[in-house]
């Protein structure tokens, strides 16, 4: 009887560890190209813990909008990622980031995960 309890307990621990497993997002910094008049999604369908994200737009004239999405709910990050500026925000656990570019040229956005 004690062995059955030990085996059941061990299996429960293994299942708990597997169900709580999340991905460590890497690389921690890089660039994202947002196509002209389009949008790009990052970290979609990826299980991860919440994290702080820094975005930097070095374009002199064009801006883009940033959103987080979790459970199909889109939240606009205010203010938008303006030209020659940066923003910091928290990406929720298992959430994704959407960058929307309404300009006629590609935007190169630098990102850093803190």
């Amino acid at each position: 009887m004690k062995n059955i309890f030990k085996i059941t307990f061990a299996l429960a621990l293994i299942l708990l560890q597997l169900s709580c497993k999340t991905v460590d997002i890497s690389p921690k910094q890089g660039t994202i190209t947002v196509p002209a008049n389009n949008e790009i999604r990052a970290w979609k369908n990826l299980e991860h813990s919440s994290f702080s994200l820094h975005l930097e737009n070095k374009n002199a004239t064009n801006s883009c909008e940033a959103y987080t999405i979790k459970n199909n709910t889109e939240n606009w990050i205010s203010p938008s990622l303006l030209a020659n500026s940066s923003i910091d925000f928290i990406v929720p656990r298992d959430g994704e980031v959407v960058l929307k570019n309404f300009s006629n040229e590609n935007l190169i956005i630098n990102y850093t995960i803190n």
Side-chain angles (χ1 to χ4, degrees), residues 2-113:
K2 288 183 182 179
N3 286 339
I4 292 175
F5 177 73
K6 288 179 184 178
I7 292 171
T8 304
F9 184 72
L11 287 173
L13 282 177
I14 291 169
L15 290 173
L16 180 63
Q17 288 176 341
L18 290 174
S19 67
C20 294
K21 189 173 184 178
T22 58
V23 174
D24 183 32
I25 296 176
S26 63
K28 298 290 185 195
Q29 56 184 311
T31 59
I32 299 172
T33 301
V34 187
N37 296 308
N38 212 328
E39 67 181 43
I40 193 161
R41 294 173 181 260
W43 306 293
K44 183 177 182 179
N45 298 323
L46 181 67
E47 292 182 12
H48 58 80
S49 57
S50 63
F51 59 92
S52 175
L53 183 64
H54 174 81
L55 298 177
E56 183 179 19
N57 178 10
K58 292 185 177 180
N59 189 291
T61 57
N62 294 311
S63 304
C64 74
E65 291 185 356
Y67 299 82
T68 60
I69 298 178
K70 182 167 179 171
N71 299 328
N72 295 322
T73 301
E74 190 174 82
N75 295 306
W76 176 52
I77 305 301
S78 177
S80 296
L81 184 54
L82 303 174
N84 277 331
S85 70
S86 63
I87 57 174
D88 295 281
F89 58 94
I90 302 293
V91 178
R93 182 175 193 262
D94 301 336
E96 65 183 282
V97 173
V98 177
L99 300 176
K100 296 182 180 183
N101 179 4
F102 298 102
S103 71
N104 291 325
E105 61 183 74
N106 293 345
L107 289 177
I108 308 255
I109 307 300
N110 298 317
Y111 75 89
T112 304
I113 296 173

